[in-house]
Amino acid sequence: MFNAATICILITIVVYLAGMLYIGIRYSDNQSSEDFYLGGRKLGPIVTAMSTEASDMSAYLLMGVPGLALFCGIAEASWTAIGLSLGTYLNWLIVSKRLRRYSAATNSITVPEYLSKRFRDNTKIIESIGAIMIIVFFVPYVASGFAACGKLFNSLFGFDYTTTMIISALIIVAYCATGGFMAASVTSLIQSIVMTAALIIVLFFGISKVGGWGVVMENAKAIPGYLSLTASTDITKTAAGTFTPLAILSTLSWGLGYFGMPHILVHFMAVEDEEKLKVSRRVGSLWCVVSLGVAVIIGIVGFSMAKTGIIPMPGTESEAESIMVFAANAISQSGVLPAIVAGLILAGILAATMSTADAQLLGAASGLTQNLLVDVFGIKLDNKKNMLIARITVILVAVAGVIFAMDPTSSIFRVVSFAWAGFGATFAPAVMCSLFWKRANKWGTMAGMFAGAAMVFIWKFAIAPMGGIFAIYELMPAALFSAIVIVIVSLITKEPEKEITDEFENVIGK
């Protein structure tokens, strides 16, 4: 039997979801594939900034990062946040304008298509590798978002995990397949605001309920290494290990991933005026720093909340990821208005999930439809058929994500980290070389993309388990290996044609 608080929470969430569906219908009039995938390159600076960052900050912002900080202390969570913040700023600073300009010059609407046209790859190998890797890595990434929704409703309301996970996926697919990129961008702007409100509310609620910041610090200091940036620990340990300099460096490498995230880079390609990217950079970077910082602090506060019985004490990292859910439940017990606020917090978790999942679904759809079917296999599709197949692809990728998300015990943070590494190693070195190195050619690019993607799997499942200096985040060695391969293969093969170098100089400058 639902009580008044639960009913208020559910009403708030339903209203929020209905609003997202309305936006999907509102922007459903897409006339071309460029409209569907890039919104006709008409994004303003604020929408560009906030939709880009919301598309990046998936459920790991409101569940993964706070849960990691709560259970394992601040080291890994903080270095991850620092790496992501640096990567965000540098991506806006050195990549956004060049990519917007170059993608427009080559008339490209996806990242694989841009790389293929940039290097005049008539073999279509670059585009094929890019499209396949997008599909491979987006499926677990999308699945992590669906899993977050399932965990939310299961832990708070006791609803069946699988059922609510599937319903959440259906809602995301509905507005994404209907409204395309513009709907995803506008909803992401709204979702970023909701996410921010959720973080701030939980932070101040937690501090006030446990008795103040002094109590938070006292409880945290009781765990060996909990507040150290160089210690490895968790709340079940009686002694701390060492978070080594190599571990710090590999965790900071999360920032490298930004240069290769298709669902983030596509926002740079879609901006209306490249000169307004400076505003986007400032707004987006500030939001990223503040939101990640607050997420880490919430994890620290969350331990005190658990210790004082306000929320359950987690036994695993996966259980700790429900901190925001349990905090919302605690808030809802104080009356109707607090219950509505709790509903807003839970909507924030859904927002974090939906704002990333929709961008990823569109990315996967573009990879299969635009890159493979149209460009690689040469299937001729008019705009109507192209968008129909794109929408069908969104549904198929979502189905694969649902299947992948069937395990409710998986860690959102760990799943996202693997997919992040896959994109970073596959695309980041290739994109950076395409924008900053005139001598790079198609052979080096295709070899580097393949090498980076392969090394992510090799390092994760064969090398890292060896332990010691090899037990580091797979993104750093895989991205480095990819970059080395691009340089070596480009230098030992034929220089790019004059047409390509002339275009580079015209677009980027000598």
Side-chain angles (χ1 to χ4, degrees), residues 178-198:
T178 302
F181 184 82
M182 187 57 75
S185 296
V186 174
T187 54
S188 291
L189 171 63
I190 297 171
Q191 288 157 349
S192 67
I193 296 172
V194 176
M195 290 157 64
T196 303

Side-chain angles (χ1 to χ4, degrees), residues 13 16-17 149 152-153 168 191 346-355:
I13 292 175
Y16 169 78
L17 294 177
C149 294
L152 186 156
F153 288 106
S168 301
Q191 288 157 349
L346 298 175
I349 298 175
L350 291 176
T353 299
M354 296 166 71
S355 61

Side-chain angles (χ1 to χ4, degrees), residues 230-292:
T230 58
S232 173
T233 188
D234 67 50
I235 58 177
T236 66
K237 292 182 178 179
T238 57
T242 302
F243 203 75
T244 65
L246 184 59
I248 292 173
L249 185 62
S250 71
T251 306
L252 282 172
S253 70
W254 269 81
L256 293 174
Y258 276 109
F259 306 123
M261 294 297 128
H263 61 296
I264 295 174
L265 297 177
V266 74
H267 284 81
F268 300 157
M269 298 164 65
V271 70
E272 182 179 22
D273 182 357
E274 68 177 54
E275 296 305 320
K276 294 179 180 178
L277 282 168
K278 182 182 292 186
V279 175
S280 300
R281 181 181 76 235
R282 291 170 177 170
V283 174
S285 298
L286 178 63
W287 187 82
C288 179
V289 170
V290 173
S291 62
L292 282 168

Side-chain angles (χ1 to χ4, degrees), residues 57-365:
M57 298 300 171
S58 63
Y60 76 82
L61 174 63
L62 270 73
M63 298 184 76
V65 173
L68 182 66
L70 189 165
F71 195 76
C72 300
I74 69 169
E76 185 175 359
S78 295
W79 288 118
T80 298
I82 293 170
L84 290 173
S85 297
L86 288 173
T88 294
Y89 179 77
L90 292 175
N91 205 23
W92 281 108
L93 181 66
I94 66 178
V95 173
S96 61
K97 183 179 291 189
R98 290 188 177 216
L99 183 59
R100 168 61 176 86
R101 191 179 299 168
Y102 225 136
S103 63
T106 55
N107 194 30
S108 306
I109 63 176
T110 70
V111 174
E113 183 184 17
Y114 155 70
L115 291 171
S116 182
K117 289 183 176 180
R118 158 70 174 86
F119 294 108
R120 304 296 194 275
D121 179 25
N122 296 326
T123 69
K124 300 298 181 182
I125 293 177
I126 290 177
E127 199 162 1
S128 297
I129 294 173
I132 291 170
M133 290 303 103
I134 280 177
I135 296 170
V136 167
F137 290 115
F138 264 148
V139 169
Y141 213 148
V142 169
S144 71
F146 294 165
C149 294
K151 287 183 178 181
L152 186 156
F153 288 106
N154 175 260
S155 58
L156 185 59
F157 303 115
F159 293 162
D160 179 69
Y161 166 84
T162 302
T163 302
T164 52
M165 182 264 292
I166 293 174
I167 292 174
S168 301
L170 288 173
I171 294 172
I172 296 171
V173 168
Y175 78 77
C176 183
T178 302
F181 184 82
M182 187 57 75
S185 296
V186 174
T187 54
S188 291
L189 171 63
I190 297 171
Q191 288 157 349
S192 67
I193 296 172
V194 176
M195 290 157 64
T196 303
L199 286 168
I200 293 173
I201 292 168
V202 170
L203 175 63
F204 285 100
F205 169 79
I207 293 175
S208 65
K209 290 294 288 185
V210 301
W213 185 248
V215 175
V216 172
M217 288 292 97
E218 183 179 343
N219 288 331
K221 290 176 182 177
I223 303 295
Y226 195 82
L227 295 178
S228 172
L229 289 172
T230 58
S232 173
T233 188
D234 67 50
I235 58 177
T236 66
K237 292 182 178 179
T238 57
T242 302
F243 203 75
T244 65
L246 184 59
I248 292 173
L249 185 62
S250 71
T251 306
L252 282 172
S253 70
W254 269 81
L256 293 174
Y258 276 109
F259 306 123
M261 294 297 128
H263 61 296
I264 295 174
L265 297 177
V266 74
H267 284 81
F268 300 157
M269 298 164 65
V271 70
E272 182 179 22
D273 182 357
E274 68 177 54
E275 296 305 320
K276 294 179 180 178
L277 282 168
K278 182 182 292 186
V279 175
S280 300
R281 181 181 76 235
R282 291 170 177 170
V283 174
S285 298
L286 178 63
W287 187 82
C288 179
V289 170
V290 173
S291 62
L292 282 168
V294 172
V296 173
I297 296 173
I298 285 175
I300 302 172
V301 175
F303 175 64
S304 288
M305 293 172 68
K307 192 168 183 179
T308 55
I310 299 171
I311 65 174
M313 179 66 75
T316 64
E317 183 183 327
S318 178
E319 291 176 5
E321 290 179 342
S322 294
I323 172 177
M324 296 285 286
V325 177
F326 291 126
N329 186 42
I331 292 173
S332 71
Q333 305 306 311
S334 300
V336 173
L337 182 58
I340 294 175
V341 171
L344 181 66
I345 294 170
L346 298 175
I349 298 175
L350 291 176
T353 299
M354 296 166 71
S355 61
T356 302
D358 54 25
Q360 294 162 347
L361 287 171
L362 285 174

